[in-house]
Amino acid sequence: MAKSRNNLLGVGGQRKKLSRADQQGAGAARTADRKAAEDKKQELVRKMRERAEAQTPATAEAEGNATSAQS
């Protein structure tokens, strides 16, 4: 057990330190980078969903053929 229980340094987390550019309102470049990254992510998710949807009917057909062969 720690000797000093009153030392709560670092317990509450840390605040983000703003750069001088952010303080002066010139932090738009970072915002644009985040937007570009979000757009890339959305595009990747869309492509993955399209691939998953394309595979789903093929899987359902294969399962349907296996079921009808057993009957």
Side-chain angles (χ1 to χ4, degrees):
M1 186 183 282
K3 282 186 171 183
S4 174
R5 298 177 121 187
N6 295 332
N7 186 6
L8 298 176
L9 182 65
V11 171
Q14 296 178 352
R15 292 186 179 171
K16 179 178 164 267
K17 301 238 190 296
L18 293 176
S19 67
R20 286 190 176 183
D22 287 337
Q23 290 174 358
Q24 295 171 358
R30 183 171 52 199
T31 305
D33 290 342
R34 288 183 182 172
K35 178 71 173 146
E38 182 66 25
D39 291 342
K40 287 180 183 178
K41 181 179 176 183
Q42 292 297 326
E43 181 68 16
L44 179 62
V45 169
R46 184 186 62 80
K47 287 180 182 178
M48 290 176 67
R49 284 188 181 146
E50 286 178 358
R51 288 180 191 157
E53 289 173 0
Q55 290 176 355
T56 302
T59 306
E61 289 176 13
E63 290 175 0
N65 291 339
T67 306
S68 61
Q70 291 176 355
S71 297

